[in-house]
Amino acid sequence: MSNELSIYDEVEGQGFENMGADKYSVPMLKIAQPTSGVLTEDDSKVKVGDFYNSATGESYGPDIELIPVYFNTVWLEWKPNMGGLAGRHKPYSVRVTGDIFTGLKTLDGNDIQESWCYLVLIKGHEDNGPLLFSCASTSIRYCKTWNSLLSENRLPSGKHAPLFSTYWKLSSKKNKNDKGTFYVIGEGKNAAITKGDWVPAEIYNNCVKAVVETAGTMFEQLNMTEDTVPATA
């Protein structure tokens, strides 16, 4: 049978010319919040504070190791009064009023929320492909710490390590504010982020490299309409 299937090697990838990344359901890596719909009454699958795959519902627990492959930022436009996602934009590509301290609004009165986005591969699940980890509001303070650690990372040779050369452990932590209880990758002023092992060459060649080569285009074409309410944390 394997010899017969070799005929398809000559037409590899054909038929997908008009099927860009925006035509796929892109899984997101999320942290289960107290009001998340993924929770079950008996907590048999995903528990509050767990990292989980939005497409499969698979739980990775409250601690996760992953490879950050690509980073970018996006503006999410929300309709008033929890009205849902109206669009996504490159930062400063639409006219807004207000500022980042008091809040940004479009000329139509919709809210603008900046989101910091990472395409990541989960340790032990690298061959399942990338997930989108999107952080907004108070989560961004911890992303700044993570980005600093990433930027300071050096190879044994002393050279600047690529973004995707190292595993990182993230933990979800319980926080509270005037809007309620929420879970993010830190608590107070402390980020729950630690450096792990180097990514083996085999994982890079078999799983990471292809994502790195297409990540920019993939991110440009992604839609995040799966998110129906703005983040409160």
Side-chain angles (χ1 to χ4, degrees), residues 44-58:
S44 59
K45 193 171 184 180
V46 180
K47 299 178 176 62
V48 174
D50 282 358
F51 291 91
Y52 71 96
N53 183 316
S54 70
T56 65
E58 179 180 3

Side-chain angles (χ1 to χ4, degrees), residues 158-211:
K159 294 182 178 180
H160 195 188
L163 181 71
F164 43 80
S165 62
T166 310
Y167 289 105
W168 293 85
K169 180 181 178 181
L170 309 184
S171 300
S172 73
K173 298 295 182 181
K174 184 178 180 180
N175 291 259
K176 290 184 177 181
N177 62 15
D178 58 351
K179 296 181 180 179
T181 299
F182 58 94
Y183 290 77
V184 292
I185 53 173
E187 183 178 9
K189 297 181 179 179
N190 300 315
I193 302 168
T194 55
K195 180 182 175 181
D197 297 327
W198 295 107
V199 175
E202 180 182 4
I203 295 295
Y204 170 74
N205 288 324
N206 294 340
C207 304
V208 178
K209 188 176 181 180
V211 179

